[in-house]
Amino acid sequence: MSTLPNSVQVLIELFARFPGIGRKTAQRLAFYLLKAKREEAVALAKAIIDVKDRIFKCSTCNNIAEVDPCPICTDPRRDHSIICVVQEPMDVLAIEKTGHFRGLYHVLGGVLSPLNGIGPDDLNIDGLLQRLESIQEVILAINPTRDGDTTALYLSKLIKSRNIKVTRIAQGLPVGIELEFADEMTLTHALEGRTNL
Amino acid sequence: MSILKTRALILKVIHFGDSSSVVHFYTEKHGKVAAIAKGARRLKSPFRGYLELFACLEIIYYYKPTRDIQTLSKIEKLQTFGADTTDWQFAIYGSVVLEALDKLTTHQPDKAVFQLAVATLNYMSQHPNLLRSALVKFLLQLAELSGYRIDLWSCAICHRAMEQSFFDEARALLLCTDCSHPLPKRLSLDNSELQFLRHLQNSDWETTLPAAPHFQENAFLEQMLVHYLTYQHDLNTHLKSLDILINMINPHTQEKQP
Ligand SMILES: [Zn+2]
Ligand SMILES: [Zn+2]
């Protein structure tokens, strides 16, 4: 490693901090940029700066946007009586891609995680409670992890106390999986979340 | 290199590299073990769905004494704690158990400590209205198993019997009224709190544990016991999950007395 010029090493270190990127991949990315045309590298650098300068969090839903409030929050064609609560902005994108949800979103910015010192004050929960006035249903689209389960239970108690319907997206078998390979927790959830035919 | 098999509780899971996770366990036979679960975050990984907190597992791993991080080979779930709980408080109290198991124990393997943690999480799963009692009992017994049984009956200085007691933070001692009198910073335990602790110290998990006498501001008993353990182990640590517990569980959401 020490034979690499310092600037290349710095680049590799920075890439290696990205989620899901190990040292090997970081090295590949750095060498790709070394070989790439100057314009391509500059465009990448500019895009990174633009994202940091021009993207804000919507003050209503906490999703990322270039305007505040974001286009989803101000869209009159969407159903303003349903809010779908998600962990991260990426989850909004995932649900939007399905094209099957026409309500509003609320981005928590994480989940309760006592072992990591993350409590309700670290999440955008107050913001959600303030939005509930004309809301009829809150859908919790939170990941089915133990921390996600705890967060869903906590939120549902808060929201139900205001007489608003709370649902959670079904947790069950992924499409294409064979039953015998499903773990016990997934199967339990799948059974609980069964639907009428 | 040898292949080891043991029961284990997951203490924490940390993402590692592109698709793997490093899992920290408290194992029944070998104490604290960190092992890499290669490819655990891939969709088709056999580890998927198993690396969640609050489960008792059977793990098989490759062990090399020269390595800090071992390699996980197989995992099987024996029991999930609080799987069908409808109360978010289970995870908060359970997290304090796991964090104490991680931070307030030595690296020496201790089967009894493992079994204590399993018994505690089991009790919490089955008695959602006695989460506090189970946690306090866990901390009392953890102190005892570490060789630091707390004397709840007589003063640590003059050895006279105590009706009420004061906790001397600086020396982590329980003192009588007289001996604690000159202390600038003393935290008081009234008779009902003292009785509650004594009852927990002497009961086993088969019986119904007593409910906490009343809610103390800032989870005082839990804080005192964590402070005691930290002091005895000569550690400089604090439990993040206890901060969250104090923050989230206030007198208004206090557990119901049975
Ligand atoms: Zn918005
Ligand atoms: Zn005394």
Side-chain angles (χ1 to χ4, degrees), chain B residues 148-166:
Chain B
Y148 306 111
R149 185 185 162 95
I150 305 174
D151 189 347
L152 298 164
W153 299 85
S154 50
C155 168
I157 290 178
C158 72
H159 305 296
R160 274 182 300 180
M162 299 184 291
E163 278 296 308
Q164 56 170 334
S165 180
F166 295 88

Side-chain angles (χ1 to χ4, degrees), chain B residues 62-80:
Chain B
Y62 298 101
Y63 173 74
K64 240 187 187 176
T66 50
R67 274 199 208 134
D68 288 337
I69 296 178
Q70 311 303 332
T71 306
L72 199 59
S73 160
K74 258 193 192 145
I75 204 164
E76 198 183 318
K77 200 175 277 181
L78 301 176
Q79 188 188 359
T80 305

Side-chain angles (χ1 to χ4, degrees), chain A residues 20-22 25 114-115 119 121 146 150, chain B residues 18 52 80-82 91 95 241 247:
Chain A
I21 302 234
T25 311
L115 286 171
D121 297 346
R146 283 313 285 267
T150 305
Chain B
D18 293 348
E52 289 286 337
T80 305
F81 303 106
S95 294
S241 53
N247 176 10

